[in-house]
Amino acid sequence: MKQFVIIGNSAAGIAAAEAIRKADKQSAITIISDEDYPAYCRCLISYYLAGQVLVDKILYRPENFYKENNITLLLNKKVERVDPKKNRLVCVDKAQIPFDALLVATGSSPKFPEVKGIKKENVFGLRTIKNATEIAERLPMTKTACVLGGGLVGLKAAYALSKRNIDTKVIVKSKQVLSQMLDFAAAGFVQRRLVEHGVELVLGQDAVEIIGEGEIKAVKLDSGKAIGCELVVVGKGVKPNIELVKDTGIKINEGIIANNLLQTSIPNIYTAGDVCESFDITVQAPSINALWPVAVEQGRAAGVNIAGGNIIYDGSLGMNALEFFGLAVVSLGMYKVPDKDPSYEELVLDNPKEETYKKIVLKNNVIVGVILVKKISNSGVFLSLMRKKADVSVFKNSLLDDNFGYPAIKDLMPDKERIYV
Amino acid sequence: MKQLLYEVKKCLGCRSCEVACALAHSLSGDLYKALDEEKLSMPRKKVLACGGKNYPVSCRHCEDALCVDACMAGALVFDKQKGQVLHDAERCVGCWMCVMVCPYGAIRPDIKDKMPLRCDKCKDKDEPACVKACPTRAVIEQEKAEVKK
């Protein structure tokens, strides 16, 4: 009987625990979390803040999950340091936890920009259920809010606040929202929807100071202008939680470096999820894709390997689906051509009247990026072509057709076709 | 455990399965009344033409379903006993992660209700509506074990 320890109780940690338990009914599994909540759907906290999801629906697994799978859950416990030499963890409360194999799935934390006043009360990240609850508690005393950052978290925060009738302005350094996942044209569709529904966007300007003695009064911009508000939510991206492995011999870069078995540089220590720097299959370079489905995929692979299996993980790719006020958008991989590089090709269908937009980025006839606005049903078909690095030259001309779909690609797929006889 | 198969050479592309599917998921279940319903019922399957043949595309209820993995709300689960991917509408927030990853493009977003539309094998009925409706018997419902031999 072995002792398997997982640090992190979200998508990657749970997927790993389930995979280990499936293969190994005997060994002890311990999950450690520095939060005080059983696993919940982290991506739903903005919906929770918006009042659209109740707290009992936010749990990711049934209440008896840990008991049923014979998993020890340690809540409110923070690991200070991993000690690979002695195969043990040292916690902030001085407790020591031994392990035979370890999964570091510590996730990431909101990045706070270095501007004056950022440490004030009523400046929040939106990452945990605790954050959402604290913001919600302030809302009765709040009329106006500023969101710093026009990425997915920032926009979801703005959406939630406006649903709660808070007058919300989003301050975006870039000239467009979602600059990490959409091109200028596609972002335009999202921006129009947001503005139509009362979310105000301040584009091309950055916050330089949060003004106020004690209570927040305003956010000062680099243009010199100040925007009055009582609450600030920061959505300026995330940074991987790697402090506990620093100077331990475990190799780190931006995140913890993983090989294709999701092992770190120490063979009995694995990593998965937002903290894991694996390989990006479209960029063809090491990268972190801090996304829920990627965390599940990596957690499962790490869990299987921890339990003695052998899953080769060939990497992840950036992907996201979103919806604001009824407009669905999907972004996959490299959503725009790197600076005028002639080896890339773009297929675009832009129909502002119907509010549809499709873009496919190709390199050597292999799809490396996709943006779909409104008509998103085919995105999984494109995603499998991207994962398989399939040459699409045979049907390149029909990729943008509404009728393009799985039947056109089925012969390229490695699995034997089972349902068409 | 039954699954839906399609005998492609028999499929005429008449879309009777699409109509029957939409009707089976309408409020009234009656063609004329269904057309009058406030929200027009949409089919869970779609026939796509390719290379001179017609292919009905719909959810395959994969055992290692990518949509289940991607669901950030825990609303999709593979039920081993039923051999089906089940969807919990109460948990679903309409984030479209499932639509994004389905390799068959078999899930469609219902933007109005913020719900993914996918085949539920006509769960309350003795036989799926598409099987009944197909004039050439191109849609077949069969035990999964029979397929393997």
Side-chain angles (χ1 to χ4, degrees):
Chain A
M1 190 179 113
K2 286 185 173 160
Q3 171 74 28
F4 297 129
V5 177
I6 297 167
I7 316 174
N9 184 35
S10 195
I14 296 294
E18 286 177 338
I20 296 173
R21 198 40 98 221
K22 201 174 169 191
D24 179 342
K25 301 272 183 264
Q26 302 301 320
S27 292
I29 301 176
T30 302
I31 299 182
I32 304 171
S33 169
D34 61 359
E35 293 187 58
D36 58 359
Y37 221 78
Y40 59 91
C41 304
R42 192 173 300 286
C43 313
L44 296 200
I45 57 171
S46 65
Y47 298 83
Y48 168 66
L49 179 59
Q52 292 172 327
V53 171
L54 297 174
V55 78
D56 61 319
K57 294 280 184 231
I58 211 169
L59 285 186
Y60 184 49
R61 289 291 179 261
E63 261 176 274
N64 59 359
F65 168 79
Y66 299 94
K67 205 170 163 213
E68 211 138 80
N69 287 286
N70 193 17
I71 296 167
T72 308
L73 174 66
L74 303 177
L75 292 176
N76 279 316
K77 203 162 192 73
K78 192 156 174 66
V79 178
E80 187 169 273
R81 194 165 49 89
V82 177
D83 183 351
K85 286 200 184 96
K86 294 189 178 153
N87 282 334
R88 61 170 192 182
L89 303 174
V90 181
C91 301
V92 172
D93 62 9
K94 302 295 172 217
Q96 298 194 0
I97 299 168
F99 59 81
D100 292 297
L102 171 71
L103 175 70
V104 183
T106 44
S108 54
S109 309
K111 267 190 217 164
F112 276 51
E114 285 180 17
V115 302
K116 211 175 143 192
I118 194 82
K119 296 220 167 90
K120 280 190 205 298
E121 236 181 284
N122 301 332
V123 179
F124 298 96
L126 183 55
R127 173 77 190 174
T128 60
I129 201 157
K130 191 166 165 254
N131 296 148
T133 308
E134 284 171 355
I135 296 171
E137 279 167 4
R138 291 298 310 168
L139 295 186
M141 290 82 85
T142 305
K143 284 202 178 93
T144 56
C146 274
V147 173
L148 308 189
L152 197 48
V153 170
L155 293 188
K156 282 174 97 172
Y159 175 86
L161 291 170
S162 67
K163 284 269 170 197
R164 299 285 298 260
N165 295 319
I166 306 292
D167 185 356
T168 307
K169 293 188 176 70
V170 189
I171 298 159
V172 188
K173 190 179 171 184
S174 160
K175 293 240 159 60
Q176 64 165 89
V177 298
L178 300 165
S179 59
Q180 303 294 314
M181 56 183 279
L182 296 180
D183 63 9
F184 194 71
F189 290 95
V190 177
Q191 285 163 203
R192 279 190 284 283
R193 275 292 163 120
L194 289 168
V195 172
E196 272 168 27
H197 287 84
V199 179
E200 223 177 296
L201 303 171
V202 182
L203 298 173
Q205 293 182 55
D206 206 6
V208 290
E209 189 185 342
I210 294 161
I211 305 169
E213 298 291 328
E215 302 273 293
I216 293 174
K217 292 265 187 313
V219 171
K220 195 178 164 195
L221 304 177
D222 52 7
S223 62
K225 205 177 141 191
I227 298 175
C229 64
E230 295 117 46
L231 185 133
V232 172
V233 179
V234 181
K236 295 287 238 179
V238 291
K239 55 173 193 299
N241 295 327
I242 54 173
E243 293 74 20
L244 75 174
V245 301
K246 271 185 183 161
D247 306 315
T248 60
I250 296 170
K251 278 197 184 128
I252 49 174
N253 182 31
E254 194 193 335
I256 301 174
I257 296 171
N259 67 11
N260 61 5
L261 295 168
L262 293 156
Q263 279 167 319
T264 65
S265 54
I266 311 262
N268 68 332
I269 301 179
Y270 293 74
T271 184
D274 285 11
V275 75
C276 166
E277 187 166 326
S278 73
F279 190 74
D280 188 302
I281 52 180
T282 51
V283 185
Q284 290 282 312
S287 174
I288 302 175
N289 285 310
L291 304 161
W292 185 272
V294 172
V296 173
E297 204 173 73
Q298 291 177 344
R300 162 141 351 105
V304 168
N305 293 343
I306 285 170
N310 185 36
I311 289 191
I312 304 286
Y313 182 71
D314 57 3
S316 62
L317 59 102
M319 53 181 173
N320 239 318
L322 55 94
E323 198 218 77
F324 289 107
F325 303 104
L327 184 70
V329 181
V330 165
S331 162
L332 309 171
M334 296 170 75
Y335 54 94
K336 54 185 171 193
V337 169
D339 272 336
K340 289 175 193 158
D341 186 332
S343 65
Y344 290 85
E345 185 185 352
E346 273 186 1
L347 310 174
V348 180
L349 194 124
D350 187 0
N351 190 339
K353 229 183 189 172
E354 282 184 19
E355 228 181 356
T356 57
Y357 181 77
K358 292 183 190 179
K359 173 159 120 174
I360 295 173
V361 183
L362 301 139
K363 185 172 185 169
N364 303 325
N365 290 319
V366 173
I367 301 177
V368 293
V370 174
I371 297 175
L372 301 172
V373 177
K374 200 170 180 178
K375 288 185 178 167
I376 62 166
S377 309
N378 259 336
S379 72
V381 175
F382 295 127
L383 187 60
S384 22
L385 289 170
M386 291 168 74
R387 283 184 195 267
K388 307 265 157 34
K389 300 193 183 83
D391 186 312
V392 300
S393 37
V394 201
F395 43 75
K396 196 155 109 184
N397 294 330
S398 53
L399 283 172
L400 294 174
D401 293 354
D402 283 346
N403 254 333
F404 178 79
Y406 173 75
I409 74 159
K410 67 180 180 33
D411 297 333
L412 293 174
M413 297 295 116
D415 301 332
K416 197 173 165 281
E417 178 52 60
R418 288 172 198 284
I419 71 156
Y420 297 129
V421 291
Chain B
M1 214 154 62
K2 287 179 172 177
Q3 74 172 146
L4 289 172
L5 303 175
Y6 307 92
E7 220 173 321
V8 173
K9 59 177 188 295
K10 285 188 184 169
C11 179
L12 305 171
C14 70
R15 299 176 186 264
S16 298
C17 56
E18 288 185 20
V19 175
C21 180
L23 193 55
H25 293 91
S26 67
L27 293 174
S28 64
D30 175 274
L31 183 58
Y32 296 100
K33 282 182 193 154
L35 287 170
D36 247 0
E37 281 168 20
E38 201 184 308
K39 204 175 138 273
L40 198 62
S41 175
M42 304 293 275
R44 271 70 177 158
K45 56 177 4 114
K46 211 172 171 185
V47 181
L48 292 181
C50 177
K53 289 182 192 148
N54 298 298
Y55 297 87
V57 174
S58 83
C59 174
R60 300 177 177 215
H61 297 278
C62 313
E63 205 171 324
D64 298 313
L66 291 175
C67 58
V68 173
D69 278 1
C71 180
M72 61 183 210
L76 288 168
V77 265
F78 182 77
D79 184 310
K80 267 194 190 143
Q81 254 149 19
K82 291 184 178 153
Q84 273 190 49
V85 174
L86 304 181
H87 175 249
D88 182 346
E90 288 219 354
R91 296 189 67 109
C92 180
V93 294
C95 71
W96 312 133
M97 286 284 182
C98 55
V99 178
M100 177 178 76
V101 299
C102 173
Y104 305 106
I107 310 178
R108 282 202 291 160
D110 174 349
I111 296 287
K112 261 197 185 148
D113 285 351
K114 280 197 159 209
M115 284 293 146
L117 294 177
R118 38 180 289 285
C119 167
D120 58 0
K121 292 191 182 170
C122 290
K123 53 184 182 216
D124 312 322
K125 303 184 179 74
D126 52 340
E127 194 181 32
C130 53
V131 177
K132 256 186 208 161
C134 180
T136 63
R137 299 188 179 228
V139 189
I140 312 156
E141 195 184 30
Q142 219 173 57
E143 282 298 328
K144 219 170 186 179
E146 292 170 42
V147 188
K148 279 185 181 158
K149 60 183 176 189

